[in-house]
Coordinates of all heavy atoms in Angstrom, one line a residue:
M1 N 80.8 93.3 82.5 CA 80.9 92.0 82.1 C 81.0 91.7 80.7 O 80.3 92.5 79.9 CB 79.6 91.3 82.6 CG 79.8 90.1 83.6 SD 81.4 89.2 83.5 CE 81.8 89.4 85.3
L2 N 81.8 90.9 80.3 CA 81.9 90.5 78.8 C 80.6 89.8 78.3 O 80.0 89.1 79.1 CB 83.1 89.6 78.6 CG 84.4 90.1 78.9 CD1 85.6 89.1 78.7 CD2 84.6 91.3 78.0
K3 N 80.3 90.0 77.1 CA 79.3 89.3 76.4 C 79.8 88.2 75.5 O 80.9 88.2 75.2 CB 78.5 90.3 75.6 CG 77.8 91.4 76.5 CD 77.0 92.2 75.7 CE 76.2 93.2 76.6 NZ 76.0 94.6 76.0
C4 N 78.9 87.3 75.2 CA 79.2 86.1 74.4 C 80.0 86.5 73.2 O 80.9 85.9 72.7 CB 78.0 85.3 74.0 SG 77.3 84.7 75.6
K5 N 79.6 87.7 72.6 CA 80.1 88.2 71.4 C 81.7 88.3 71.5 O 82.6 88.0 70.6 CB 79.5 89.4 71.0 CG 79.9 89.9 69.6 CD 78.9 91.0 69.2 CE 79.6 91.9 68.1 NZ 80.1 93.0 68.5
H6 N 82.1 88.9 72.7 CA 83.3 89.2 73.0 C 84.3 87.8 73.1 O 85.4 87.8 72.6 CB 83.6 89.9 74.3 CG 83.0 91.3 74.2 ND1 81.9 91.6 75.0 CD2 83.3 92.3 73.4 CE1 81.7 92.9 74.8 NE2 82.5 93.4 73.8
I7 N 83.5 86.8 73.6 CA 84.2 85.6 73.8 C 84.5 84.9 72.5 O 85.6 84.5 72.4 CB 83.3 84.6 74.7 CG1 83.0 85.3 76.0 CG2 84.0 83.3 74.9 CD1 84.1 85.7 77.0
T8 N 83.6 85.0 71.7 CA 83.8 84.3 70.4 C 84.9 85.1 69.5 O 85.7 84.6 68.8 CB 82.6 84.2 69.6 OG1 81.9 85.4 69.5 CG2 81.7 83.2 70.1
E9 N 85.0 86.5 69.8 CA 85.9 87.2 69.2 C 87.3 87.0 69.8 O 88.3 87.1 68.9 CB 85.6 88.8 69.3 CG 84.6 89.2 68.4 CD 84.2 90.6 68.7 OE1 84.7 91.2 69.6 OE2 83.3 91.2 68.1
K10 N 87.4 86.7 71.0 CA 88.7 86.5 71.6 C 89.1 85.0 71.9 O 90.2 84.8 72.4 CB 88.6 87.2 73.0 CG 88.4 88.7 73.0 CD 89.7 89.4 72.9 CE 89.5 90.9 73.1 NZ 90.8 91.6 72.9
A11 N 88.2 84.2 71.4 CA 88.4 82.7 71.7 C 89.7 82.3 71.1 O 90.5 81.5 71.7 CB 87.3 81.9 71.3
D12 N 90.1 82.8 70.0 CA 91.4 82.4 69.3 C 92.4 82.7 70.1 O 93.4 81.8 70.5 CB 91.5 83.1 68.0 CG 90.7 82.5 66.8 OD1 89.9 81.4 67.2 OD2 90.6 83.0 65.8
A13 N 92.5 83.8 70.7 CA 93.6 84.4 71.5 C 93.6 83.6 72.9 O 94.6 83.4 73.4 CB 93.5 85.9 71.7
L14 N 92.5 83.3 73.2 CA 92.4 82.6 74.6 C 93.0 81.2 74.4 O 93.8 80.8 75.3 CB 90.9 82.5 75.0 CG 90.7 81.7 76.4 CD1 91.2 82.7 77.6 CD2 89.3 81.5 76.7
V15 N 92.7 80.6 73.4 CA 93.2 79.2 73.3 C 94.7 79.3 73.0 O 95.5 78.5 73.5 CB 92.4 78.6 72.1 CG1 93.0 77.2 71.6 CG2 91.0 78.3 72.4
D16 N 95.0 80.2 72.2 CA 96.4 80.4 71.9 C 97.3 80.8 73.1 O 98.3 80.4 73.4 CB 96.6 81.5 70.7 CG 97.9 81.6 70.4 OD1 98.6 80.7 69.9 OD2 98.5 82.7 70.4
G17 N 96.6 81.7 73.9 CA 97.2 82.0 75.1 C 98.2 83.2 75.1 O 98.7 83.5 76.1
S18 N 98.4 83.8 74.0 CA 99.5 84.8 73.9 C 99.0 86.1 73.8 O 99.7 87.0 74.4 CB 100.4 84.4 72.6 OG 99.5 84.3 71.5
A19 N 98.0 86.5 73.2 CA 97.7 87.8 72.7 C 96.9 88.6 73.7 O 96.5 89.6 73.5 CB 96.8 87.8 71.4
L20 N 96.6 87.9 74.9 CA 95.8 88.5 75.8 C 96.6 89.0 77.1 O 97.5 88.3 77.5 CB 94.7 87.6 76.4 CG 93.7 87.1 75.2 CD1 92.8 85.9 75.8 CD2 92.9 88.2 74.9
S21 N 96.1 90.0 77.6 CA 96.7 90.4 79.0 C 96.2 89.4 80.0 O 95.0 88.9 79.8 CB 96.3 91.9 79.3 OG 94.9 92.0 79.5
R22 N 96.8 89.5 81.2 CA 96.2 88.7 82.2 C 94.8 89.1 82.6 O 93.9 88.1 82.8 CB 97.1 88.8 83.5 CG 98.4 88.1 83.4 CD 99.3 88.5 84.5 NE 99.4 87.4 85.5 CZ 99.9 87.5 86.7 NH1 100.1 88.7 87.3 NH2 100.1 86.4 87.4
R23 N 94.6 90.3 82.7 CA 93.2 90.8 83.0 C 92.2 90.3 82.0 O 91.1 89.8 82.4 CB 93.3 92.3 83.1 CG 92.1 92.7 83.9 CD 92.2 94.3 84.0 NE 91.3 94.8 85.1 CZ 91.6 94.9 86.4 NH1 92.9 94.7 86.6 NH2 90.8 95.3 87.3
E24 N 92.5 90.4 80.7 CA 91.5 90.0 79.7 C 91.3 88.5 79.8 O 90.1 88.0 79.7 CB 92.2 90.3 78.2 CG 91.8 91.6 77.7 CD 92.5 91.8 76.4 OE1 93.6 91.4 76.2 OE2 91.7 92.4 75.5
R25 N 92.3 87.8 80.0 CA 92.2 86.3 80.1 C 91.3 85.9 81.1 O 90.6 85.2 81.3 CB 93.5 85.6 80.2 CG 93.6 84.2 79.8 CD 94.9 83.6 79.9 NE 96.0 84.6 79.5 CZ 97.3 84.2 79.4 NH1 97.6 83.1 79.7 NH2 98.1 85.2 79.1
F26 N 91.6 86.7 82.3 CA 90.8 86.4 83.5 C 89.2 86.7 83.2 O 88.4 86.0 83.6 CB 91.3 87.2 84.7 CG 90.5 86.8 85.9 CD1 91.0 85.7 86.6 CD2 89.6 87.7 86.5 CE1 90.3 85.3 87.8 CE2 88.9 87.3 87.7 CZ 89.3 86.3 88.3
A27 N 89.0 87.8 82.5 CA 87.6 88.2 82.3 C 87.1 87.2 81.4 O 85.8 86.9 81.7 CB 87.6 89.6 81.6
L28 N 87.8 86.7 80.5 CA 87.2 85.6 79.6 C 86.9 84.4 80.4 O 85.9 83.8 80.2 CB 88.2 85.3 78.5 CG 88.4 86.4 77.4 CD1 89.5 86.1 76.5 CD2 87.1 86.5 76.7
R29 N 87.8 84.0 81.2 CA 87.6 82.7 82.0 C 86.4 82.9 82.9 O 85.7 81.9 83.1 CB 88.8 82.5 82.8 CG 90.0 81.9 82.1 CD 91.1 81.4 82.9 NE 90.6 80.3 83.7 CZ 91.0 78.9 83.5 NH1 91.9 78.8 82.5 NH2 90.4 78.1 84.2
L30 N 86.3 84.1 83.5 CA 85.1 84.4 84.3 C 83.8 84.2 83.6 O 83.0 83.5 84.1 CB 85.3 85.9 84.9 CG 84.7 86.2 86.1 CD1 85.4 85.3 87.3 CD2 84.9 87.5 86.6
H31 N 83.9 84.6 82.4 CA 82.6 84.5 81.6 C 82.4 83.0 81.2 O 81.3 82.5 81.4 CB 82.8 85.2 80.3 CG 81.5 85.1 79.4 ND1 80.6 86.1 79.4 CD2 81.2 84.1 78.6 CE1 79.6 85.7 78.5 NE2 79.9 84.5 78.0
L32 N 83.5 82.3 81.0 CA 83.4 80.8 80.6 C 82.8 80.1 81.8 O 82.1 79.0 81.8 CB 84.7 80.3 80.3 CG 85.2 80.8 78.9 CD1 86.6 80.3 78.6 CD2 84.3 80.4 77.7
M33 N 83.2 80.5 83.1 CA 82.7 79.9 84.4 C 81.2 79.9 84.3 O 80.5 78.9 84.8 CB 83.3 80.5 85.4 CG 84.6 80.0 85.8 SD 85.3 81.1 87.1 CE 84.1 81.2 88.4
M34 N 80.6 81.0 83.8 CA 79.2 81.2 83.9 C 78.4 80.9 82.8 O 77.1 80.8 82.8 CB 79.0 82.6 84.3 CG 79.5 83.0 85.7 SD 79.3 84.8 86.1 CE 80.2 85.5 84.9
C35 N 79.0 80.7 81.6 CA 78.4 80.6 80.3 C 78.9 79.3 79.8 O 79.8 79.1 79.2 CB 78.7 81.7 79.5 SG 77.8 81.6 77.9
R36 N 77.8 78.3 79.8 CA 78.2 77.1 79.3 C 78.3 77.1 77.6 O 79.0 76.2 77.1 CB 77.2 75.9 79.7 CG 75.8 76.2 79.3 CD 75.0 75.0 79.5 NE 75.2 74.3 80.7 CZ 74.6 73.2 81.2 NH1 73.6 72.8 80.5 NH2 74.9 72.7 82.3
H37 N 77.6 77.9 77.0 CA 77.7 78.1 75.6 C 79.1 78.4 75.2 O 79.7 77.8 74.2 CB 76.6 79.1 75.1 CG 75.2 78.7 75.4 ND1 74.7 77.7 74.8 CD2 74.4 79.3 76.2 CE1 73.4 77.6 75.2 NE2 73.1 78.6 76.1
C38 N 79.6 79.5 75.7 CA 80.9 79.9 75.4 C 81.9 78.8 75.9 O 83.0 78.6 75.2 CB 81.2 81.2 76.1 SG 80.3 82.6 75.4
R39 N 81.8 78.1 76.9 CA 82.6 77.1 77.4 C 82.7 76.1 76.4 O 83.7 75.6 76.1 CB 82.0 76.5 78.7 CG 83.1 76.0 79.6 CD 82.6 76.1 81.1 NE 81.5 75.4 81.3 CZ 80.6 75.8 82.3 NH1 80.9 76.9 82.9 NH2 79.5 75.1 82.3
R40 N 81.6 75.7 75.8 CA 81.6 74.6 74.8 C 82.2 75.1 73.5 O 83.0 74.4 72.9 CB 80.0 74.2 74.5 CG 80.1 72.9 73.8 CD 78.8 72.4 73.7 NE 77.8 73.1 73.0 CZ 76.5 72.8 72.8 NH1 75.9 71.8 73.4 NH2 75.8 73.7 72.2
Y41 N 82.0 76.4 73.3 CA 82.6 77.0 72.0 C 84.1 77.0 72.2 O 84.7 76.4 71.2 CB 82.1 78.4 71.9 CG 82.7 79.1 70.6 CD1 82.2 79.0 69.5 CD2 83.9 79.9 70.9 CE1 82.8 79.6 68.4 CE2 84.5 80.5 69.8 CZ 83.9 80.4 68.6 OH 84.5 81.1 67.4
V42 N 84.6 77.3 73.3 CA 86.1 77.4 73.5 C 86.7 76.0 73.5 O 87.7 75.7 72.9 CB 86.4 78.2 74.8 CG1 87.9 78.0 75.1 CG2 86.2 79.6 74.6
R43 N 86.1 75.1 74.2 CA 86.4 73.8 74.2 C 86.5 73.1 72.8 O 87.4 72.5 72.5 CB 85.5 73.0 75.1 CG 86.0 71.6 75.4 CD 85.2 70.8 76.6 NE 85.2 71.6 77.7 CZ 84.3 71.5 78.5 NH1 83.3 70.7 78.5 NH2 84.2 72.1 79.7
Q44 N 85.6 73.4 72.0 CA 85.5 72.9 70.6 C 86.7 73.4 69.8 O 87.4 72.8 69.1 CB 84.1 73.1 69.9 CG 83.1 72.2 70.5 CD 81.7 72.5 69.9 OE1 81.5 73.6 69.4 NE2 80.7 71.7 70.1
L45 N 86.8 74.8 70.1 CA 88.0 75.4 69.3 C 89.2 74.9 69.7 O 90.1 74.6 68.8 CB 87.7 76.9 69.6 CG 88.8 78.0 68.8 CD1 88.3 77.9 67.4 CD2 88.7 79.1 69.4
R46 N 89.4 74.7 71.0 CA 90.7 74.1 71.5 C 90.9 72.7 70.9 O 92.0 72.4 70.5 CB 90.5 74.0 73.1 CG 91.9 74.1 73.7 CD 91.6 74.2 75.2 NE 91.7 75.5 75.8 CZ 91.3 75.8 76.9 NH1 90.7 74.9 77.7 NH2 91.4 77.1 77.4
A47 N 89.8 71.9 70.9 CA 89.9 70.5 70.4 C 90.3 70.7 68.8 O 91.2 69.9 68.4 CB 88.6 69.7 70.6
L48 N 89.8 71.5 68.3 CA 90.0 71.8 66.8 C 91.4 72.0 66.6 O 92.0 71.6 65.6 CB 89.1 72.8 66.3 CG 88.7 72.9 64.9 CD1 87.7 71.7 64.7 CD2 87.9 74.2 64.5
L49 N 92.0 72.9 67.4 CA 93.3 73.3 67.4 C 94.3 72.3 67.9 O 95.6 72.5 67.8 CB 93.6 74.7 68.0 CG 92.8 75.8 67.2 CD1 92.9 77.1 68.0 CD2 93.2 76.0 65.8
G50 N 93.8 71.3 68.4 CA 94.7 70.2 68.9 C 95.2 70.5 70.3 O 96.2 69.7 70.7
F51 N 94.7 71.4 71.0 CA 95.1 71.6 72.4 C 94.4 70.6 73.3 O 93.2 70.5 73.2 CB 94.9 73.0 72.8 CG 95.9 74.0 72.3 CD1 95.7 74.5 70.9 CD2 96.9 74.4 73.1 CE1 96.6 75.4 70.4 CE2 97.9 75.3 72.5 CZ 97.7 75.8 71.3
L52 N 95.1 70.1 74.3 CA 94.5 69.4 75.2 C 93.8 70.3 76.2 O 94.4 71.5 76.5 CB 95.5 68.6 76.0 CG 96.1 67.4 75.3 CD1 97.3 66.8 76.0 CD2 94.9 66.3 75.1
P53 N 92.7 70.0 76.8 CA 92.1 70.9 77.7 C 93.0 71.0 78.9 O 93.6 70.1 79.5 CB 90.8 70.3 78.1 CG 90.9 68.8 77.6 CD 92.0 68.8 76.5
R54 N 93.1 72.3 79.3 CA 94.0 72.5 80.5 C 93.1 72.5 81.7 O 92.0 72.0 81.8 CB 94.8 74.0 80.4 CG 96.0 73.7 79.5 CD 96.5 75.0 79.2 NE 96.3 75.6 78.0 CZ 96.7 76.8 77.4 NH1 97.5 77.5 78.1 NH2 96.4 77.2 76.3
Q55 N 93.4 73.3 82.8 CA 92.7 73.2 84.1 C 91.3 73.7 83.7 O 91.0 74.8 83.3 CB 93.3 74.1 85.1 CG 94.8 73.7 85.4 CD 95.3 74.8 86.2 OE1 95.3 75.9 85.8 NE2 96.0 74.5 87.3
E56 N 90.4 72.8 84.0 CA 88.9 73.3 83.7 C 88.3 73.3 84.9 O 86.9 73.7 84.9 CB 88.4 72.2 82.7 CG 89.0 72.2 81.3 CD 88.5 73.4 80.5 OE1 87.7 74.2 81.0 OE2 89.1 73.6 79.5
E57 N 88.8 73.1 86.0 CA 88.0 73.0 87.2 C 87.6 74.5 87.5 O 88.3 75.6 87.4 CB 88.8 72.5 88.4 CG 89.7 73.5 89.2 CD 91.1 73.6 88.5 OE1 91.2 73.1 87.4 OE2 91.9 74.1 89.2
P58 N 86.2 74.7 87.9 CA 85.8 76.0 88.1 C 86.4 76.8 89.4 O 86.7 76.0 90.4 CB 84.3 75.8 88.3 CG 84.1 74.4 88.7 CD 85.3 73.8 88.1
L59 N 86.6 77.9 89.3 CA 87.2 78.6 90.5 C 86.1 78.8 91.5 O 84.9 79.1 91.1 CB 87.8 79.9 90.0 CG 89.1 79.9 89.2 CD1 89.4 81.4 88.7 CD2 90.2 79.3 89.9
E60 N 86.5 78.6 92.7 CA 85.6 79.0 93.7 C 85.4 80.5 93.9 O 86.4 81.3 93.6 CB 86.0 78.3 95.0 CG 85.8 76.9 95.0 CD 86.6 76.2 96.0 OE1 86.9 76.8 97.2 OE2 87.1 75.1 95.8
D61 N 84.3 80.9 94.5 CA 84.1 82.4 94.6 C 85.3 83.1 95.4 O 85.7 84.1 95.0 CB 82.9 82.6 95.4 CG 81.6 82.5 94.4 OD1 81.8 82.2 93.3 OD2 80.6 82.4 94.9
A62 N 85.7 82.4 96.5 CA 86.7 83.0 97.4 C 87.9 83.1 96.6 O 88.7 84.0 96.6 CB 86.9 82.1 98.6
R63 N 88.3 82.0 95.8 CA 89.5 82.2 95.0 C 89.4 83.2 93.9 O 90.4 83.9 93.7 CB 89.7 80.7 94.4 CG 91.2 80.4 94.5 CD 91.4 78.9 94.0 NE 92.5 78.9 93.1 CZ 92.7 78.0 92.2 NH1 91.7 77.1 91.9 NH2 93.8 78.0 91.3
T64 N 88.3 83.4 93.3 CA 88.1 84.2 92.4 C 88.3 85.7 93.0 O 89.0 86.4 92.3 CB 86.7 84.2 91.7 OG1 86.4 83.0 91.3 CG2 86.5 85.2 90.6
E65 N 87.7 85.8 94.1 CA 87.9 87.2 94.7 C 89.3 87.4 95.0 O 89.8 88.6 94.8 CB 87.2 87.1 96.1 CG 85.8 87.3 96.2 CD 85.3 88.7 96.3 OE1 85.8 89.3 97.2 OE2 84.8 89.3 95.3
A66 N 90.1 86.4 95.5 CA 91.5 86.6 95.7 C 92.3 86.9 94.6 O 93.2 87.8 94.5 CB 92.1 85.3 96.4
I67 N 91.9 86.3 93.4 CA 92.7 86.6 92.2 C 92.4 88.0 91.7 O 93.2 88.7 91.3 CB 92.2 85.6 91.2 CG1 92.8 84.1 91.5 CG2 92.9 85.9 89.8 CD1 92.2 83.1 90.7
L68 N 91.2 88.4 91.8 CA 90.8 89.8 91.4 C 91.5 90.8 92.2 O 92.0 91.8 91.8 CB 89.2 90.0 91.6 CG 88.4 89.4 90.4 CD1 86.9 89.6 90.8 CD2 88.6 90.3 89.2
K69 N 91.6 90.6 93.5 CA 92.3 91.5 94.4 C 93.8 91.5 94.0 O 94.4 92.6 94.0 CB 92.2 91.1 95.9 CG 91.0 91.7 96.5 CD 90.9 91.2 98.0 CE 89.5 91.5 98.4 NZ 89.1 90.8 99.6
K70 N 94.3 90.4 93.6 CA 95.6 90.4 93.3 C 95.9 91.1 92.0 O 96.9 91.8 91.8 CB 96.1 88.9 93.2 CG 97.5 88.6 93.5 CD 97.7 87.1 93.5 CE 99.0 86.6 93.9 NZ 99.3 85.2 93.8
L71 N 95.0 91.0 91.2 CA 95.1 91.7 89.8 C 95.0 93.0 90.1 O 95.8 94.0 89.5 CB 94.0 91.3 88.9 CG 94.1 89.9 88.1 CD1 92.8 89.7 87.4 CD2 95.3 90.2 87.1
D72 N 94.1 93.6 90.9 CA 93.9 95.0 91.2 C 95.3 95.6 91.8 O 95.8 96.6 91.4 CB 92.9 95.3 92.1 CG 91.5 95.3 91.5 OD1 91.6 95.4 90.2 OD2 90.4 95.1 92.0
A73 N 95.9 94.8 92.7 CA 97.1 95.1 93.4 C 98.2 95.3 92.3 O 99.0 96.1 92.4 CB 97.5 94.1 94.4
S74 N 98.2 94.3 91.5 CA 99.4 94.4 90.5 C 99.1 95.5 89.5 O 100.1 96.0 88.9 CB 99.4 93.1 89.7 OG 98.2 93.0 88.8
Q75 N 97.9 96.0 89.2 CA 97.6 97.0 88.3 C 98.0 98.4 88.9 O 98.2 99.3 88.3 CB 96.1 97.3 88.1 CG 95.6 96.0 87.3 CD 95.9 96.1 85.8 OE1 95.8 97.1 85.2 NE2 96.2 94.9 85.2
G76 N 98.2 98.4 90.3 CA 98.5 99.7 91.1 C 99.9 100.2 90.9 O 100.1 101.3 91.3
H77 N 100.7 99.3 90.4 CA 102.1 99.7 90.3 C 102.4 100.8 89.2 O 101.9 100.6 88.2 CB 102.9 98.5 90.1 CG 103.1 97.7 91.3 ND1 103.9 98.0 92.3 CD2 102.5 96.5 91.6 CE1 103.8 97.1 93.3 NE2 103.0 96.2 92.8
Ligands
ZN1 ZN1 78.8 83.4 76.8

């Protein structure tokens, strides 16, 4: 699991959306789902950079599972 320190380090890239692999981004999002501190940090950063908040609805567990499985499958190639 990622730690808050990682989130703040990667927050720029997360907001920018370019420099992260899908897996990295997913791990970050997963942390953001559970950590309101980082969520607020990213939201503020995003606002600071003039980005409108994108989909902020939390993923449901089942959906998260499905995405993780999909990721694993795509890594297998
Ligand atoms: Zn955190």
Side-chain angles (χ1 to χ4, degrees):
M1 234 339 123
L2 291 178
K3 296 190 173 140
C4 294
K5 189 169 160 255
H6 294 118
I7 306 301
T8 52
E9 281 171 0
K10 297 274 189 179
D12 282 354
L14 181 70
V15 171
D16 184 58
S18 54
L20 294 173
S21 70
R22 283 171 114 199
R23 201 183 192 92
E24 266 180 321
R25 201 178 324 179
F26 184 77
L28 290 173
R29 284 193 66 109
L30 208 61
H31 181 99
L32 290 174
M33 276 167 54
M34 294 177 294
C35 180
R36 60 167 40 175
H37 297 293
C38 288
R39 208 151 56 213
R40 196 167 63 180
Y41 178 84
V42 168
R43 191 170 300 158
Q44 284 175 346
L45 188 68
R46 208 176 259 163
L48 207 66
L49 295 175
F51 281 83
L52 290 172
R54 281 177 256 179
Q55 301 169 310
E56 293 288 349
E57 86 274 14
L59 292 173
E60 289 161 29
D61 282 354
R63 223 178 133 201
T64 307
E65 283 268 302
I67 293 171
L68 277 172
K69 270 179 194 157
K70 217 171 181 182
L71 277 174
D72 283 343
S74 67
Q75 296 280 320
H77 286 289

